[in-house]
């Protein structure tokens, strides 16, 4: 009998957890010839999420919970879930029912009968997300595709069922700054895509705001691309050319037309422009260095405070 591990990162999900468990439990129990386990990762929730998880685990021995000592983020929660899962197949699901449990059966079929290593949900549409967020997300994915040459599209989420081989491959990647969408793409494997309609979360609020989305996008680019470092070279080259042209034109004006060249304003603009560019470049370099610095520290990706 195959075991399916359902990994659920939870951060302040008290309003929706019971509903999620009931629906998902019904869906997974209906898959013939399988057993299941739920791994709930409480990512430092400040509401009653942990109490509800304890209750669920008390009622259903197939449920386990892991509670982080603080909010480490969804990436760390997914890693913890995968690491502790003992199923033959692992599926990552959001707690807010935006990942439809009815897809569990076709996902399992794709892995157990059709020979795929992974079956992933592809979200169609962005109903429930703001216009600004949809636009930024789409732009981000087109940029990251070009910069990393990896297969990451808007709509390809973390909702996916994977076999043990793929899970073990993901667990081999132990970096601290985890960008799981990139890691899925990096490890490869045969993936079947199942489309599903985007729905609003069943209850509660999204944990993302514009600032965290920007930082997530920036992390994704820095984790998988060194293109921003090349940018400084390109801009440096262009600036060098501009400097050459300006010197050449100054030289010709001075010697052939006897015009005086420089004005204070022009110098000021050039100086400000150059220093702002320098600052941007130093910022990008600093970001890379800080990532490397953290990586070299080999900090734990999460710390469990308690578990059942
Ligand atoms: N989540 C988490 N840690 C966080 C933020 C979110 O474990 O720091 C969980 C959250 O409880 C949910 C999933 O990640 O199960 C997706 O979060 P959310 O629904 O807020 O994201 P969205 O669907 O808006 O992208
Ligand atoms: Mg959600």
């Amino acid at each position: 009998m195959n075991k399916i591990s359902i990994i659920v990162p939870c951060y302040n999900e008290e309003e929706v957890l019971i509903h999620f468990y009931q629906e998902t439990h019904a869906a997974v129990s209906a898959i013939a010839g399988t057993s299941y386990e739920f791994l709930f990762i409480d990512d430092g929730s400040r509401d009653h999420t942990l109490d509800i998880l304890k209750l669920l685990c008390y009622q259903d021995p197939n449920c386990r919970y892991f509670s982080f000592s603080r909010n480490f983020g969804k990436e760390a929660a997914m890693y913890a879930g995968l690491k502790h899962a003992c199923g033959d197949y692992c599926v990552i699901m959001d707690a807010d029912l935006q990942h439809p449990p009815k897809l569990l059966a076709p996902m399992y079929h794709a892995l157990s009968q059709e020979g795929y290593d992974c079956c992933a949900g592809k979200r169609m549409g962005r109903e429930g997300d703001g216009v600004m967020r949809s636009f930024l997300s789409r732009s981000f994915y087109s940029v990251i595709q070009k910069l990393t040459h990896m297969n990451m599209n808007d709509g390809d989420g973390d909702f996916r069922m994977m076999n043990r081989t793929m899970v073990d491959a993901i667990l081999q990647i132990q970096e601290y700054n985890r960008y799981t969408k990139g890691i899925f793409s990096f490890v490869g494997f045969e993936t079947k895509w199942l489309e599903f309609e985007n729905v609003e979360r069943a209850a509660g609020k999204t944990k993302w705001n514009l600032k965290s989305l920007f930082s997530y996008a920036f992390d994704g680019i820095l984790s998988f691309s060194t293109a921003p470092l090349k940018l400084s070279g390109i801009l440096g080259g262009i600036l060098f050319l501009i400097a050459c042209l300006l010197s050449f034109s100054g030289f010709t004006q001075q010697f052939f037309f006897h015009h005086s060249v420089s004005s204070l304003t022009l110098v000021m603009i050039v100086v400000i422009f150059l220093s702002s560019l320098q600052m941007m470049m130093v910022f990008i370099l600093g970001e890379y260095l800080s990532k490397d610095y953290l990586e070299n520290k080999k900090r734990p990706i999460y710390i469990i405070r308690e578990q059942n």
Side-chain angles (χ1 to χ4, degrees):
M1 185 181 274
N2 285 323
K3 185 176 209 167
I4 301 174
S5 300
I6 300 167
I7 295 152
V8 194
C10 308
Y11 180 48
N12 297 341
E13 299 288 8
E14 62 179 6
E15 288 174 60
V16 76
L17 261 177
I18 301 274
H19 192 186
F20 166 84
Y21 169 76
Q22 285 167 345
E23 285 215 10
T24 311
H25 178 260
V28 76
S29 316
I31 305 175
T34 61
S35 61
Y36 71 89
E37 64 170 357
F38 279 90
L39 292 99
F40 292 101
I41 320 297
D42 167 35
D43 184 14
S45 299
R46 291 173 179 279
D47 62 1
H48 293 105
T49 295
L50 183 55
D51 299 328
I52 296 169
L53 292 182
K54 284 180 178 170
L55 189 75
L56 285 175
C57 292
Y58 176 72
Q59 286 173 349
D60 180 351
N62 297 314
C63 288
R64 290 196 278 159
Y65 74 85
F66 301 83
S67 181
F68 286 178
S69 55
R70 63 168 170 85
N71 178 244
F72 279 82
K74 188 186 172 187
E75 299 288 325
M78 289 191 286
Y79 179 80
L82 289 172
K83 195 160 175 211
H84 288 92
C86 47
D88 307 287
Y89 301 100
C90 297
V91 58
I92 301 172
M93 295 180 82
D94 284 359
D96 57 9
L97 284 170
Q98 284 189 301
H99 295 160
K102 65 171 192 269
L103 286 192
L104 290 177
M107 282 180 167
Y108 176 70
H109 188 267
L111 269 67
S112 60
Q113 307 297 321
E114 298 170 30
Y116 287 98
D117 302 298
C118 173
C119 183
K122 193 176 198 56
R123 188 198 48 219
M124 308 309 288
R126 277 193 160 272
E127 287 74 24
D129 292 345
V131 182
M132 187 65 169
R133 181 171 170 178
S134 309
F135 170 74
L136 288 174
S137 290
R138 268 194 291 273
S139 317
F140 164 66
Y141 283 105
S142 73
V143 170
I144 201 165
Q145 284 259 29
K146 290 196 179 85
L147 290 183
T148 61
H149 306 293
M150 287 210 290
N151 199 13
M152 286 180 257
N153 296 298
D154 187 24
D156 302 358
D158 307 312
F159 179 33
R160 57 185 70 210
M161 192 182 283
M162 294 162 280
N163 64 14
R164 185 43 51 196
T165 322
M166 181 162 173
V167 171
D168 288 344
I170 289 169
L171 291 175
Q172 272 180 38
I173 299 173
Q174 303 224 327
E175 56 198 45
Y176 176 78
N177 293 294
R178 296 186 79 78
Y179 184 71
T180 307
K181 282 193 186 86
I183 293 175
F184 288 143
S185 172
F186 178 83
V187 297
F189 292 100
E190 281 298 310
T191 301
K192 179 175 181 176
W193 293 94
L194 292 181
E195 295 183 352
F196 67 93
E197 280 306 314
N198 192 40
V199 288
E200 285 194 38
R201 54 160 48 239
K205 278 194 280 230
T206 176
K207 311 301 174 301
W208 296 94
N209 54 38
L210 216 53
K211 184 169 161 265
S212 59
L213 280 171
F214 264 112
S215 120
Y216 181 67
F218 205 61
D219 277 356
I221 291 171
L222 291 189
S223 301
F224 281 91
S225 166
T226 50
L229 277 177
K230 294 190 183 92
L231 195 69
S232 60
I234 295 167
L235 284 174
I238 294 170
L239 281 177
F240 182 73
L241 270 178
I242 293 172
C244 287
L245 284 174
L246 281 177
S247 323
F248 181 72
S249 92
F251 181 80
T252 44
Q253 284 195 28
Q254 188 89 44
F255 279 88
F256 295 108
F257 305 107
H258 305 292
H259 289 160
S260 74
V261 204
S262 58
S263 78
L264 188 62
T265 327
L266 185 69
V267 171
M268 287 278 285
I269 290 170
V270 171
V271 168
I272 292 168
F273 180 61
L274 284 180
S275 36
S276 74
L277 276 176
Q278 269 179 335
M279 277 158 74
M280 269 165 25
M281 292 310 128
V282 171
F283 171 70
I284 290 174
L285 280 173
E287 281 292 307
Y288 273 101
L289 283 176
S290 68
K291 301 256 160 195
D292 203 35
Y293 172 72
L294 283 175
E295 207 72 68
N296 282 325
K297 277 184 183 282
K298 299 267 173 274
R299 285 179 183 160
I301 292 164
Y302 61 90
I303 301 162
I304 289 172
R305 187 158 62 83
E306 57 174 290
Q307 71 182 73
N308 68 334

